[in-house]
Amino acid sequence: MSLPDVVSREEWLAARVKLLDEEKALTRHHDQVNAERRRLPMVHVDKEYIFKGPEGKVTLAGLFAGKRQLIVQHVMFGPDWDAPCPSCSKAIPQMTPTLFEGLRNRETTFVLASLAPYEKIAAAKAERGWDVPWYSSYGSDFNFDYNVSFDSSRDQPGYNYGTMPVTEGELPGASCFLRDGGDVYHTYSTYARGMEYTTGSFTYIDYTALGRQESWEKPEGRADVFHEANGSLSG
């Protein structure tokens, strides 16, 4: 078994301070990437998507539940599957009420979505004791349009923006949407290893167009929404 070298306290401190410089550089670069993510343009969602949840059918706009932003985590669970993906299933128990509340406090609703019919989703939740907002996109183009479900009969670019050729099956990801009055916009999607660190509210909120809504964030001018009432961003 390979263990770290044993050194004096002084040697350890020198090595730790050197690493601290690299950690600070990484943090600054992370902030820069987040700012560039918030500067991304957005696409108007002009197709109607219908989901099914515990209260019945709901549109994409309805999933916002009155908030400014929506994060949809694409959970791998195909229509003909007996259970959700084992890897996705390991992440779901970490989604605590505190996570959902923290995002709601920043004008963001977070839900899960899968292509499996809702009856299968409800059964999986009940069997595992999961209390998470999880919707079915079965019967709509949502999963295919956002490239987490693949069908060879459809014209799709492949997974992770075409970097991984895929023609059939289910894969993970997350997509972010912004509401401006009655209009909905797609602002961001991430796939593959982009999903590795999504266990806390800061990671999820950093994916969104409004970000953490703190005064220190770039670009400026988006922190005000934290204090505004629900409604149109332009009004």
Side-chain angles (χ1 to χ4, degrees), residues 2 6 8 14 17 39 76 86-87 91 102-103 109-110 114 117 123 128 134 163 182 195 231:
S2 178
V6 177
S8 68
V17 170
R39 292 187 179 99
M76 297 168 62
S87 180
L103 290 167
T109 296
F110 175 40
S114 297
R128 294 161 177 78
W134 193 354
T163 60
M195 297 300 299

Side-chain angles (χ1 to χ4, degrees), residues 150-153 156 158 165-169:
F150 295 87
D151 187 320
S152 59
S153 67
Q156 296 176 266
V166 178
T167 58
E168 295 284 345

Side-chain angles (χ1 to χ4, degrees), residues 188-199:
Y188 183 75
S189 286
T190 189
Y191 309 100
R193 293 194 65 184
M195 297 300 299
E196 284 186 355
Y197 302 104
T198 50
T199 57

